[in-house]
Every structure is written in structure tokens, then in C-alpha cells.
């Protein structure tokens, strides 16, 4: 018998138990819901050291046969089959453990942000304008017109710095029309965003990011250990500061001289192997992203001493990009110029740009993919396993 606390053995002893109970429990399909009353006895052989000798059994809900997916089967099912029958799949304690880890991380982040003086915000998810490039925008019919699902809270978290909030964070869904079918992309993910005003440079942003990650992983480990969650053991010891590897250095590891385009998945994996071996930390920053690589990221701040570089960084975990961010361009004239350089029209960002007209401090922040972090920490081959009901190009159900 299984419930959220675990599995308990129910033992019927031939000759001792009521024959009617034998008949009922003997024909009961697996995964049915029952209420059992009886005496609890010590048992050396049972998994919790106890067994339940039933006196009364009530069938609450009978499961249909056959089950489309075994819950206690040792043979692993294909991921597609598991996701098609996700409610049964989620009954597996090993799958539930992933969502306990996820919940511990979410509450750990919230707590860490609050302790650091950040205010939790909620920004609109129906937008007139995207911030992260036109290719991954989802259009939505919006009355007589058209809107888009938010790819990130980027423009709004910056506007709230203009509103004087100074330190904000948001944990919310983000939508990207990712056409490619990969193990690290989904169309609906949870983005953990932060924005900080009055920064002196990129290291203020990186320091806050590694700080909340350190707090969160430590508190999650304690919480999961107390709950006997097997994933607790896999959480890394956090050593801060995380190594900082310039983009150009990582490119040189791959013998790449052209610094005008971003690393692909295979590059990230190869860099991850070298970085982890060299620095012994699963987390590491790739810093000083070239301006050419971030050309579409019109809000990125460039370095005053070398405009060919931005202050942007990615945070990776063993070859998987978890977060990206950096200082923003807070000066209106330069921001408008960068919007034009990205091939966009400043006029269509008037609501955003207004926030820069009446006093905007230097600021920066990051976006972190919660699903990617869960995928990395639980060592899941596919990001879809990190979401209860994942969405991708081919999946809108269940
Ligand atoms: P970026 O586009 O790099 O930056 O996204 C930030 C993080 O979000 C996660 N992510 C995804 N996870 C799963 N599926 C996807 N399709 C997907 N797309 C992104 C990744 C990524 O590192 N506004 C900036 C952040 C900022 O500068 O503050 C942004 O959105 O983990």
C-alpha cells in the first residue's frame, strides 16, 4: 500500500485472515485506492520494519485494467509513454522525488531573495512586443488584434528598477516558440528572474546570483535529507565564487578563432568537461560575451573600456546553460541606438523607454531556467522530466 509518505506492507495470513478479505484483495487491480484498518506489527522483512494485518478493507476507487503504464515495474518505459500517462508516471516515488526537489528549490530561492531584500513581482505575460528576438514569439489572438506570450519579464523588471524598487525577483512561466526538438528546450518554462539597481559592474550581478544559488542548494539539501529524498545526495557542495571563464578563453579551448557567434550545445558540453576538470566546480560563469554574439540582446550593457565586449555572462552547470544575464544599458540615447542596431524600431518600445526618461540607475540582472536547474541537479537526460506536464512543439496534452 502506497501513499505520499511511502509504501507499507499489508499482510494477509492464510488461515488467520477473513476469507472475504482474501477474495477482495486477491482480485483488486493494481493502483486501486483502498482504506485498510488493522493492527500494526513489527516485521523484520517488511521495508519499513512494520506490517499491517488488515481487519477491514474498503475499496474507495477501482483502477481500470490493464494499466497503460506500470507504476512499480522495474523495466523503464519510453519517455513519451510516461508523459502520455503522466498521472500514473507521477505516482512513482522516484518521479515524485524530482518535484520535491523542484519545490524545495523554489521555496529556497524565495527565502534567499527575501532575506537579501528583494521584492517579489508579477509582470504581464500578454505583451504587445517581445524582448528576446522575433523567432521564438508565440502570437495570440487578442480581441481584434494580436498579442504575444511573454518570452521573459525582461522589459518589466527593468522598468521596475526605474520605479525605484531597486531589487526585484519573479518566478513565472516564460514562453518560447522553440521549433527544435532538443533535450534542453521546451516551449513553456519557469524563469527565475532578478534585477538589481545601483550596480557597480557585472560582478555585483554574478555575486548575487551565486549567493542565492548557494543559499538555495544548501537549504534544499537539508530539507530533502530530512524527507529521505534520494536526490539530496546528488546535490553538489557549493563553493563560491564560481570560476569565471572569459568567452574568448573558452573559445580557445575549442580552437575557435571566430568570436562572432554563440556556443552551440556541443560546444557547451565540451567547455563543460574542460571547465569542471580544471576548476573542480560544476558551476562556472562564461563571462565577457562579445557584443557581436549579443547583437540581438539590445538591452545588454557594453563595456565602456571595450565596446566590442558586453558585461554579459552565462552560468553553466557541467555543460548545460542554466542562466544568463549582465549589466543593462541604462542610458536612453545608447539604448535607443542599440535597439536600432538590432534592427528594431524604438517607437514600438515607447512604454519601456519611458522608464529611462526620468532617472534610471545603472542596473543588471539575470534569467535562470528552473527546469534546466532541476534537470542538472537531478541528472535528468531530458528537460521534460523536470516539468509536471511539459509542453513542446508536439505536446499540448495532457
Ligand atoms: P535567456 O534567453 O538566455 O535570457 O534565458 C534565460 C534562461 O532561461 C532558460 N531558457 C529555457 N529553458 C527551457 N526551454 C527553453 N526554451 C528556454 N529558453 C531559455 C535557460 C536560459 O539560461 N532576459 C534574459 C535574461 C536576463 O538577461 O535577465 C533571457 O531571457 O536556462
Amino acid at each position: 500500500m502506497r501513499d505520499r509518505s511511502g509504501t507499507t506492507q499489508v499482510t494477509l495470513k492464510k488461515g488467520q485472515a477473513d476469507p472475504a478479505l482474501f477474495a477482495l484483495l486477491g482480485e483488486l487491480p493494481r493502483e486501486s485506492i483502498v482504506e485498510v484498518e488493522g493492527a500494526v506489527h513489527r516485521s523484520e522483512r517488511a521495508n519499513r520494519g512494520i506490517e499491517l494485518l488488515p481487519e477491514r478493507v474498503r475499496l474507495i476507487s477501482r483502477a481500470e485494467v490493464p494499466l497503460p503504464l506500470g507504476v512499480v515495474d522495474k523495466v523503464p518505459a519510453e519517455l513519451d509513454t510516461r508523459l502520455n500517462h503522466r498521472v500514473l508516471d507521477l505516482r512513482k516515488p522516484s518521479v515524485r522525488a524530482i518535484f520535491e526537489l523542484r519545490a524545495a528549490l523554489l521555496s529556497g530561492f524565495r527565502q534567499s531573495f527575501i532575506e537579501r531584500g528583494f521584492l517579489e513581482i508579477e509582470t504581464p505575460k500578454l505583451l504587445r512586443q517581445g524582448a528576446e528576438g522575433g523567432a521564438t514569439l508565440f502570437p495570440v489572438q487578442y480581441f481584434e488584434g494580436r498579442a504575444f506570450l511573454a518570452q521573459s519579464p525582461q522589459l518589466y523588471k527593468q522598468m521596475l528598477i526605474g520605479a525605484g524598487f531597486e531589487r526585484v525577483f519573479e518566478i513565472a512561466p516564460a514562453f518560447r516558440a522553440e521549433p527544435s526538438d532538443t533535450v534542453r528546450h521546451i516551449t513553456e518554462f519557469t524563469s527565475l528572474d532578478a534585477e538589481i539597481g545601483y550596480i557597480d559592474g557585472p560582478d555585483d550581478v554574478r555575486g548575487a546570483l551565486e549567493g542565492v544559488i548557494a543559499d538555495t542548494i544548501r537549504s534544499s539539501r537539508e530539507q530533502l535529507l530530512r524527507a529521505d529524498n534520494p536526490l539530496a545526495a546528488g546535490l553538489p557542495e557549493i563553493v563560491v565564487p564560481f570560476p569565471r571563464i572569459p568567452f574568448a578563453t573558452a573559445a580557445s579551448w575549442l580552437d575557435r578563432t571566430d568570436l562572432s557567434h554563440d556556443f552551440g550545445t556541443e560546444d557547451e558540453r565540451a567547455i563543460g568537461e574542460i571547465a569542471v576538470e580544471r576548476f573542480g566546480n560544476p558551476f562556472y560563469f562564461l563571462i565577457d560575451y562579445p557584443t557581436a554574439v549579443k547583437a540581438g540582446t539590445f538591452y545588454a550593457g557594453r563595456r565602456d573600456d571595450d565596446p566590442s565586449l558586453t558585461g554579459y555572462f552565462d552560468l553553466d552547470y557541467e555543460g548545460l546553460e542554466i542562466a544568463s544575464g549582465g549589466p543593462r544599458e541604462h542610458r536612453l540615447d545608447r539604448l535607443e541606438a542599440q535597439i536600432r542596431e538590432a534592427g528594431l524600431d524604438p517607437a514600438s518600445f515607447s512604454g519601456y523607454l519611458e522608464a529611462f526618461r526620468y532617472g534610471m540607475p545603472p542596473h543588471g540582472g539575470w534569467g535562470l531556467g528552473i527546469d534546466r536547474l532541476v534537470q542538472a541537479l537531478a541528472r535528468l537526460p531530458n528537460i521534460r522530466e523536470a516539468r509536471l506536464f511539459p509542453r513542446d512543439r508536439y505536446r499540448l496534452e495532457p
Side-chain angles (χ1 to χ4, degrees), residues 132 152 154 157 176 178 184-186 189 193 299 312 321-325 328 365-367 369 372 383:
E132 317 293 347
S152 79
Q154 183 62 39
K157 59 181 180 168
R176 307 254 173 126
E178 296 281 356
R184 31 178 86 185
H185 291 92
I186 38 184
F189 67 97
D193 278 83
Y299 49 81
Y312 260 58
E321 179 198 320
I322 302 292
S324 74
R328 320 301 186 186
W366 71 82
R372 293 255 182 108
I383 192 170

Side-chain angles (χ1 to χ4, degrees), residues 241-313:
F242 299 151
R244 280 129 165 90
I245 304 158
F247 184 95
T249 305
S252 75
W253 292 348
L254 308 176
D255 293 326
R256 229 175 85 175
T257 46
D258 169 16
L259 301 183
S260 66
H261 59 273
D262 207 352
F263 298 125
T265 301
E266 284 314 311
D267 299 333
E268 283 173 9
R269 282 210 187 100
I271 292 166
E273 271 175 31
I274 300 172
V276 174
E277 193 192 291
R278 251 183 230 186
F279 301 106
N281 198 323
F283 282 108
Y284 51 92
F285 284 108
L286 295 171
I287 65 168
D288 297 342
Y289 264 68
T291 301
V293 174
K294 290 286 171 192
T297 310
F298 59 79
Y299 49 81
R302 298 176 188 171
R303 276 173 49 163
D304 285 333
D305 60 338
D306 181 358
S308 74
L309 296 178
T310 67
Y312 260 58
F313 56 81

Side-chain angles (χ1 to χ4, degrees), residues 218-391:
R218 284 187 196 124
S219 66
S220 299
R221 189 194 298 104
E222 281 168 26
Q223 190 183 328
L224 297 177
L225 278 173
R226 281 195 302 273
D228 274 337
N229 185 310
L231 296 174
L235 296 182
E237 276 304 326
I238 296 290
V239 182
V240 283
F242 299 151
R244 280 129 165 90
I245 304 158
F247 184 95
T249 305
S252 75
W253 292 348
L254 308 176
D255 293 326
R256 229 175 85 175
T257 46
D258 169 16
L259 301 183
S260 66
H261 59 273
D262 207 352
F263 298 125
T265 301
E266 284 314 311
D267 299 333
E268 283 173 9
R269 282 210 187 100
I271 292 166
E273 271 175 31
I274 300 172
V276 174
E277 193 192 291
R278 251 183 230 186
F279 301 106
N281 198 323
F283 282 108
Y284 51 92
F285 284 108
L286 295 171
I287 65 168
D288 297 342
Y289 264 68
T291 301
V293 174
K294 290 286 171 192
T297 310
F298 59 79
Y299 49 81
R302 298 176 188 171
R303 276 173 49 163
D304 285 333
D305 60 338
D306 181 358
S308 74
L309 296 178
T310 67
Y312 260 58
F313 56 81
D314 274 4
L315 175 69
D316 285 27
Y317 186 95
E318 295 181 346
L320 178 68
E321 179 198 320
I322 302 292
S324 74
R328 320 301 186 186
E329 180 50 71
H330 69 284
R331 294 156 296 191
L332 180 62
D333 53 337
R334 296 191 193 202
L335 180 57
E336 283 177 336
Q338 290 187 192
I339 292 177
R340 275 190 216 98
E341 265 178 56
L344 299 163
D345 178 9
S348 57
F349 292 95
S350 56
Y352 167 63
L353 292 173
E354 189 184 282
F356 293 75
R357 287 184 198 285
Y358 309 107
M360 176 63 95
H363 62 280
W366 71 82
L368 177 150
I370 290 288
D371 316 85
R372 293 255 182 108
L373 183 64
V374 173
Q375 180 184 12
L377 296 178
R379 307 198 163 279
L380 306 174
N382 195 311
I383 192 170
R384 290 162 182 76
E385 292 187 65
R387 278 192 88 80
L388 291 169
F389 299 102
R391 293 287 178 257

